[in-house]
Amino acid sequence: IGTKMADLDSPPKLSGVQPPSEGVGGGRCSEISAELIRSLTELQELEAVYERLCGEEKVVERELDALLEQQNTIESKMVTLHRMGTASIRPFRELMTSWT
C-alpha cells in the first residue's frame, strides 16, 4: 500500500523539534525525508514530491542569490571597519612604543 497523498501535504513532524524558520539565513531544510521518498510507490506521489522539492529549490536559490548580492557590500564594510580600527589604534600604539 502506497503513502497517501494527504501524507505528502502534511509530513510528520520530528518529535519535539520545531521546523527551521523560513527566509534568508533561516537554515531552512525540506520536511520531505529520504525515508518518505523511498516509501513512495505510486508515480503520482513521486511527481507530487518532485514538484514540491523543485519549489523548495527555487526558494533556496533566491535566498542564495540575495546573499551573494550582499557579499561585496559586506566585505567592503568589513575592510572599511578594519581600516577605521587600525587608524584609531595607531596613535595609541605610537604613544605606547615611544614610552619604551
Side-chain angles (χ1 to χ4, degrees):
I1 298 174
T3 303
K4 304 275 187 260
M5 289 303 289
D7 294 343
L8 299 177
D9 294 332
S10 57
K13 302 286 183 202
L14 298 173
S15 59
V17 177
Q18 294 293 326
S21 63
E22 198 171 325
V24 175
R28 181 182 166 185
C29 62
S30 178
E31 293 178 0
I32 299 173
S33 67
E35 182 179 315
L36 173 64
I37 293 170
R38 281 191 291 273
S39 72
L40 300 177
T41 57
E42 301 292 324
L43 179 59
Q44 198 172 21
E45 295 169 341
L46 287 167
E47 288 173 342
V49 168
Y50 179 76
E51 288 299 317
R52 184 166 166 189
L53 288 172
C54 286
E56 290 179 9
E57 180 183 20
K58 289 177 184 174
V59 170
V60 170
E61 285 177 351
R62 284 194 300 268
E63 292 175 354
L64 178 59
D65 289 343
L67 289 171
L68 290 174
E69 287 176 10
Q70 297 173 20
Q71 181 178 0
N72 289 335
T73 303
I74 292 169
E75 288 175 352
S76 295
K77 287 181 179 184
M78 287 175 56
V79 168
T80 301
L81 289 171
H82 177 72
R83 287 181 184 153
M84 289 172 52
T86 303
S88 65
I89 292 173
R90 188 173 295 132
F92 178 73
R93 189 181 307 149
E94 290 171 357
L95 177 64
M96 294 302 289
T97 55
S98 68
W99 286 352
T100 56

